[in-house]
């Protein structure tokens, strides 16, 4: 049907459109601004304006909506930068480590901690589980934690020691606005949601279950999986199925960390790699797993001192920082020379 | 929970039937397959498949507890969740003793006292509650035929003379220790599979594997063996946690392939660095096994003195305790400030501790 005489355009434009073969509304449904511009010899901006005007009342057409709605949810880098500066971080109780991490473990990111056995990965995780609970009045995040223990290394007696250390530290700050529950170690223990995982099926199940769990427990700001490796190291004859399951798990965790604005900390083990006759320790679970985390921290010993090395980070430099572990938990190297390990 | 049957879950009847008909019987079958494979197998749309996966996950996921509830559970447990060694400094470092629900490994060269430590812990586990024991049985996997009941009796009588001077108590102790002699890794694995019944019937309070490294001496490729062993670590941890018992495992040493080695000893008087390029020992079974154990205790010697080092422990820093072996088993000698690095694979040993053929004597 020839509708050209009801189009809201000047005559010259109408004749150009007709000459190019665009005589009905239907013909202009699916044409892109670039193609129209070429056909009727106008600028692209002009062509876009024509299409928008024409389909202005038509809700089903994609041309009627603003260009950026196709990218719904996209933010400008400026918005992200402003958000970044207000993004909260979880302190590690060690000043050098905190500055290595740009202030602490970042919410909305997945951080992997790997290292040789006995270096302190579980200590790190337990310290974060306590520190995430430090209230906002004391510059903390004030959140709860889901601790997924796949190896049985979470010892509640040790968590109690760390909670005591944290409470002692808060006491020393003498904050009058702090409510008394934050000075009670039992509070810190009650805010740790502990899952004990005994095989890889349970591990897959708990990650699938997290979405629902987090809806029911909105105050959770940290998820720790210690370790993500143990059940996946030995039970898979079929490597491709392991890679698939791990990468799906990694993606789910990344999505959860962004959408619920919490930090995900994954503990990984190391494996030996032989190259040129020398054996080296590298993070376990293979190359494809390296993409699952935003940041990767490697812990190692050197000359009887523990170090953390920022192996992978989108924004922080790859440097090392020393740290120690004492009865009260993690701390800086100079904290207390007597109790240093 | 992995073996949890689909039929036990709250899925609607037609769905359960389809799953069953296509051979999907357990939670593991559902969760370890890709979504596309499930779609093909069950001929269902993606949204339904996701529902099934979601339901299965909720069902297969173990329940959570708060750490506070965990603490209360431990407090009401026997021994507060630890089996004491009755070596004061060790028990204080490990916040009570070797923990339940975890694998504690003792590694060291032959003759340094690993089996002695196992025997001591046997006695402690079988001892009556009023004397600080757990009053239970012990399962002892003796792969090297090192278990000598006479030696255990000697340890029991020297440590607890008032209890074991009565021979009835000694007999009761001996009947609580069940000794098995597995001859290969496969035999050990199949025995672990049937262990649950025995753990319940006999009220087992301690599981010992002495030594686990000896089970791997066979023609089978090393990689394959390590993989099998890794799977057993998963099974053992499950048993330890489900039955809340400690598992003690002993491991051997082997010559390390690295060429640089140094030990540093620091006390108030002097700094001594000893380089010994000849003899570098490392714990057997590799770093993957080292990850699998929760606690690693190393028995080694430096400068002619034997040390017990708690090298890996979520409960304590690296601590080093000089010790000697006596008729009471292992005994700690005094205290000292040895700082040691953290390579938990490295085992120090002096030349002068080697006798003739390479066998040590206690």
């Amino acid at each position: 049907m020839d509708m050209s005489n009801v189009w809201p355009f000047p005559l010259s434009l109408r004749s150009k459109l007709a000459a190019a073969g665009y005589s009905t509304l239907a013909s202009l449904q699916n044409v892109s601004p670039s193609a129209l511009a070429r056909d009727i010899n106008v600028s692209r901006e002009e062509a876009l304006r024509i299409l928008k005007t024409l389909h202005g009342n038509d809700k089903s057409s994609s041309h009627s909506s603003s260009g950026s709605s196709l990218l719904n949810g996209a933010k400008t880098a400026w918005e992200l930068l402003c958000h970044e500066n207000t993004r909260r971080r979880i302190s590690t109780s060690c000043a050098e480590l905190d500055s290595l991490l740009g202030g602490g473990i970042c919410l909305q990111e997945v951080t992997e901690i790997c290292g040789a056995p006995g270096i302190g990965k579980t200590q790190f995780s337990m310290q974060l589980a306590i520190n995430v609970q430090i209230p906002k009045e004391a510059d903390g995040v004030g959140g709860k934690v889901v601790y997924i223990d796949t190896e049985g290394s979470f010892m509640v007696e040790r968590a109690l020691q760390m909670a005591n250390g944290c409470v002692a530290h808060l006491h020393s700050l003498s904050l009058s606005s702090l409510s008394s529950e934050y000075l009670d170690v039992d509070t810190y223990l009650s805010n740790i949601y502990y899952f004990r995982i005994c095989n890889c099926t349970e591990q897959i199940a708990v990650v699938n279950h997290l979405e629902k769990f987090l809806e029911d427990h909105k105050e959770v700001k940290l998820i720790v999986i210690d370790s993500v490796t143990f059940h996946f190291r030995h039970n898979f004859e079929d490597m491709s199925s392991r890679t698939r399951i791990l990468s799906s798990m990694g993606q789910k965790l990344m999505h959860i960390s962004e959408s619920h604005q919490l930090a995900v900390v994954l503990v990984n083990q190391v494996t030996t790699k032989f190259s040129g006759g020398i054996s080296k320790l590298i993070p376990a679970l293979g190359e494809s797993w390296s993409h699952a985390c935003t940041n990767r921290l490697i812990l190692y010993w050197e000359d009887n001192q523990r170090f953390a090395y920022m192996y992978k980070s989108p924004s922080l430099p790859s440097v090392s920082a020393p740290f120690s572990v004492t009865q009260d938990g993690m701390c800086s190297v100079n904290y207390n020379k007597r109790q240093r390990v | 929970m992995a073996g949890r049957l689909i039929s036990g879950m709250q899925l609607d009847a037609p769905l359960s039937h389809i799953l069953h008909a296509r051979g999907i019987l357990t939670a593991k079958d559902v969760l370890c397959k890709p979504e596309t494979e499930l779609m093909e197998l069950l001929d269902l749309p993606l949204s339904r498949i996701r529902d099934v996966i979601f339901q299965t996950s909720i069902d297969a996921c173990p329940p959570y507890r708060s750490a506070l509830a965990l603490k209360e559970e431990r407090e009401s447990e026997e021994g507060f969740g630890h089996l004491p060694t009755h070596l004061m400094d060790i028990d204080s470092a490990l916040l009570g003793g070797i923990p339940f629900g975890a694998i504690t490994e003792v590694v060291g060269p032959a003759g340094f006292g690993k089996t002695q430590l196992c025997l001591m812990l046997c006695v402690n586990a079988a001892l009556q509650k009023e004397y600080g024991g757990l009053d239970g049985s012990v399962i002892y996997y003796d792969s090297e035929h090192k278990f000598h009941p006479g030696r255990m009796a000697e340890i029991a009588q020297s440590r607890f003379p008032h209890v074991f001077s009565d021979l009835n108590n000694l007999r009761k102790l001996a009947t609580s220790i069940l000794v098995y002699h597995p001859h290969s890794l496969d035999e050990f694995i199949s025995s672990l599979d049937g262990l649950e019944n025995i753990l319940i019937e006999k009220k087992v309070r301690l599981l010992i594997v002495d030594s686990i490294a000896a089970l791997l001496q066979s023609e089978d490729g090393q990689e394959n063996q390590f993989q099998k062993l890794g799977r057993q670590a998963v099974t053992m941890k499950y048993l330890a946690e489900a039955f809340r018992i400690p598992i003690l495992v002993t491991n051997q040493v082997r010559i390390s392939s690295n060429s640089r080695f140094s030990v540093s000893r620091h006390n108030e008087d002097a700094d001594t660095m000893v380089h010994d390029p000849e003899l570098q020992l490392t714990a057997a079974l590799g770093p993957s096994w080292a990850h699998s154990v929760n606690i690693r205790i190393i028995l080694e010697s430096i400068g002619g003195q034997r040390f017990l080092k708690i090298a890996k422990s979520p409960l304590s820093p690296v601590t080093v305790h000089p010790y000697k072996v006596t008729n009471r088993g292992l005994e700690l000698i005094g205290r000292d400030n040895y700082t040691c690095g953290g390579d938990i694979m490295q085992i120090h040993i002096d030349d002068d501790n080697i006798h003739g053929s390479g066998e040590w004597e206690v």
Side-chain angles (χ1 to χ4, degrees):
Chain A
M1 186 160 57
D2 190 348
M3 297 286 284
S4 54
N5 54 349
V6 297
W7 290 2
F9 296 131
L11 189 56
S12 54
L13 191 50
R14 288 210 303 263
S15 52
K16 273 194 196 170
L17 282 165
Y22 294 106
S23 51
T24 64
L25 269 175
S27 63
L28 280 170
Q29 267 315 348
N30 291 321
V31 70
S32 71
S34 313
L36 184 62
R38 195 186 54 228
D39 288 344
I40 60 174
N41 203 13
V42 294
S43 70
R44 287 205 190 111
E45 287 81 359
E46 178 69 25
L48 185 59
R49 201 182 53 79
I50 295 170
L51 289 169
K52 273 192 184 172
T53 321
L54 218 47
H55 297 284
N57 294 327
D58 186 357
K59 291 194 188 68
S60 62
S61 163
S62 56
H63 292 298
S64 67
S65 37
S66 83
S68 68
S69 71
L70 283 173
L71 296 171
N72 250 335
K75 300 194 179 92
T76 64
W78 177 252
E79 285 173 325
L80 290 173
L81 183 62
C82 291
H83 183 62
E84 165 97 17
N85 291 337
T86 57
R87 230 201 288 191
R88 292 173 295 164
R89 288 166 185 273
I90 307 172
S91 166
T92 59
S93 288
C94 167
E96 290 89 342
L97 262 188
D98 279 349
S99 87
L100 181 79
L101 292 164
I105 295 284
C106 205
L107 299 194
Q108 288 190 290
E109 282 183 4
V110 177
T111 305
E112 180 184 286
I113 302 176
C114 56
I119 185 63
K121 307 183 287 295
T122 302
Q123 302 299 304
F124 203 128
S125 314
M126 292 207 283
Q127 187 68 66
L128 293 173
I130 299 288
N131 288 0
V132 70
Q133 300 180 48
I134 293 176
K136 299 201 176 95
E137 293 91 328
D139 272 339
V141 168
K144 301 194 180 180
V145 50
V146 168
Y147 198 105
I148 298 173
D149 183 7
T150 65
E151 297 187 343
S153 10
F154 180 87
M155 302 279 169
V156 75
E157 303 91 335
R158 181 65 179 134
L160 193 58
Q161 283 183 332
M162 289 186 171
N164 271 315
C166 180
V167 163
H169 170 70
L170 286 179
H171 260 301
S172 68
L173 296 179
S174 304
L175 298 165
S176 50
S177 55
L178 208 54
S179 71
S180 60
E181 55 169 354
Y182 288 110
L183 296 173
D184 176 13
V185 288
D186 281 354
T187 310
Y188 289 88
L189 293 185
S190 65
N191 290 335
I192 301 178
Y193 298 118
Y194 177 78
F195 287 87
R196 176 80 168 92
I197 299 295
C198 292
N199 54 58
C200 56
T201 308
E202 285 186 4
Q203 192 170 329
I204 300 172
V206 76
V207 174
N208 288 345
H209 174 53
L210 275 175
E211 203 48 84
K212 169 129 197 328
F213 184 87
L214 292 171
E215 267 166 45
D216 298 333
H217 298 89
K218 293 200 195 299
E219 328 77 21
V220 171
K221 287 293 163 204
L222 171 67
I223 296 178
V224 174
I225 303 187
D226 177 15
S227 65
V228 73
T229 325
F230 181 61
H231 294 293
F232 285 86
R233 237 176 139 163
H234 306 288
N235 275 321
F236 282 84
E237 304 80 21
D238 177 11
M239 276 298 138
S240 65
S241 117
R242 181 181 97 161
T243 310
R244 173 182 51 77
I245 293 178
L246 283 175
S247 69
S248 143
M249 196 182 287
Q251 280 181 354
K252 287 195 182 98
L253 290 167
M254 213 170 245
H255 172 74
I256 286 175
S257 86
E258 272 175 30
S259 61
H260 291 266
Q261 305 197 343
L262 44 81
V264 174
V265 169
L266 305 176
V267 172
N268 192 7
Q269 298 176 350
V270 293
T271 182
T272 27
K273 175 170 144 175
F274 293 95
S275 64
I278 310 172
S279 70
K280 241 178 34 152
L281 290 180
I282 57 166
L285 297 180
E287 271 306 314
S288 50
W289 175 253
S290 339
H291 302 293
C293 55
T294 319
N295 306 300
R296 192 173 240 183
L297 211 58
I298 297 188
L299 309 182
Y300 63 97
W301 283 101
E302 194 173 283
D303 288 337
N304 298 350
Q305 175 60 55
R306 294 181 213 252
F307 283 90
Y309 176 67
M310 191 54 142
Y311 182 75
K312 169 184 173 187
S313 160
S315 59
L316 297 160
S318 290
V319 289
S320 289
F323 68 97
S324 294
V325 184
T326 66
Q327 196 182 42
D328 290 334
M330 305 238 310
C331 64
S332 301
V333 171
N334 297 316
Y335 180 70
N336 187 343
K337 283 215 145 74
R338 262 186 313 114
Q339 285 178 307
R340 198 183 84 131
V341 171
Chain B
M1 287 271 186
R4 194 147 164 68
L5 295 175
I6 298 284
S7 47
M9 296 186 205
Q10 306 297 327
L11 296 172
D12 46 345
L15 192 54
S16 297
H17 285 142
I18 304 180
L19 287 168
H20 194 88
R22 301 280 193 270
I24 300 198
L25 302 169
T26 65
K28 183 172 180 174
D29 293 332
V30 173
L31 296 175
C32 289
K33 287 199 188 353
E35 286 175 346
T36 46
E37 192 179 321
L38 285 173
M39 274 171 72
E40 244 181 70
L41 204 53
L42 302 171
D43 198 20
L44 289 171
L46 188 58
S47 55
R48 284 288 271 149
I49 296 290
R50 290 202 167 143
D51 275 338
V52 172
I53 293 180
F54 179 69
Q55 286 290 21
T56 315
S57 298
I58 302 265
D59 212 80
C61 179
Y64 74 90
R65 289 162 284 177
S66 75
L68 187 61
L70 213 60
K71 171 183 147 199
E72 281 153 15
E73 267 176 44
R74 300 284 178 268
E75 281 167 354
S76 58
E77 240 177 356
E78 288 164 14
F80 304 112
H82 292 262
L83 170 63
T85 61
H86 292 141
L87 297 169
M88 208 169 70
D89 289 347
I90 308 294
D91 283 346
S92 105
L94 293 179
L95 304 182
I98 69 171
F100 297 175
I103 299 181
T104 303
E105 180 199 55
V106 182
V107 59
F112 269 51
K114 303 188 291 296
T115 305
Q116 309 304 309
L117 194 54
C118 293
L119 295 176
M120 283 168 66
L121 286 165
C122 271
V123 174
N124 292 345
L127 196 59
Q128 291 90 319
K129 286 202 188 122
E130 53 262 35
Y131 301 113
L134 297 180
D135 205 10
S137 328
V138 177
I139 295 187
Y140 197 114
Y141 282 100
D142 182 16
S143 55
E144 293 178 309
H145 293 263
K146 289 246 202 73
F147 180 85
H148 292 135
R151 177 63 175 132
M152 186 180 71
E154 185 187 3
I155 290 177
Q157 283 172 328
S158 9
R159 286 197 157 259
F160 306 99
H162 46 288
V163 180
F164 294 108
S165 47
D166 177 355
L167 290 178
N168 278 330
N169 283 336
L170 206 54
R171 194 169 62 89
K172 186 170 170 301
L173 167 68
T175 40
S176 327
I177 319 286
L178 300 155
V179 184
Y180 291 89
H181 295 292
H183 294 114
S184 69
L185 187 57
D186 288 327
E187 233 183 273
F188 175 64
I189 291 172
S190 53
S191 115
L192 273 189
D193 282 339
L195 211 55
E196 285 203 39
N197 295 349
I198 304 181
L199 291 176
I200 300 171
E201 272 170 40
K202 304 276 184 193
K203 294 196 183 30
V204 175
R205 306 304 300 141
L206 171 64
L207 180 69
I208 296 184
V209 186
D210 178 19
S211 71
I212 198 148
L215 291 172
L216 269 70
Q217 330 281 23
S218 93
E219 325 76 41
D220 206 359
Q222 199 188 56
E223 259 319 298
N224 203 3
Q225 297 251 288
F226 280 8
Q227 284 276 325
K228 273 194 197 168
L229 188 62
R231 284 196 278 275
Q232 297 330 300
V234 174
T235 311
M236 287 197 285
K237 281 194 178 176
Y238 158 69
L239 289 174
E241 179 59 31
F243 293 89
R244 291 299 299 161
I245 55 173
I247 294 190
L248 184 68
V249 163
T250 67
N251 191 4
Q252 296 167 343
V253 299
R254 57 173 188 79
I255 307 288
S256 149
S257 49
N258 293 332
S259 55
R260 265 189 323 113
F261 161 98
S262 71
V263 67
S264 125
R265 186 181 135 174
H266 177 80
N267 59 28
E268 275 106 57
D269 299 322
D271 273 32
T272 338
M273 291 284 288
V274 173
H275 286 270
D276 190 343
E278 301 292 345
L279 204 59
Q280 298 107 51
L281 298 182
T282 183
L285 306 179
S288 155
W289 172 254
H291 272 299
S292 301
V293 303
N294 295 100
I295 295 183
R296 173 170 273 186
I297 294 177
I298 293 180
L299 301 179
E300 54 186 6
S301 88
I302 303 172
Q305 171 62 56
R306 291 194 179 172
F307 292 96
L308 185 153
K309 174 164 121 176
I310 302 180
K312 174 182 175 179
S313 155
L315 295 161
S316 65
V318 178
T319 55
V320 180
H321 312 262
Y323 76 95
K324 60 181 178 188
V325 182
T326 65
N327 63 337
R328 293 162 53 106
L330 258 60
E331 278 190 76
L332 299 182
I333 315 168
R335 292 161 172 223
D336 215 327
N337 286 343
Y338 287 93
T339 43
C340 276
D343 182 358
I344 74 169
M345 301 294 298
Q346 218 178 60
I347 315 236
H348 303 129
I349 188 157
D350 306 304
D351 286 345
D352 34 304
N353 253 315
I354 308 176
H355 302 246
S357 63
E359 288 302 320
W360 286 259
E361 285 167 9
V362 168

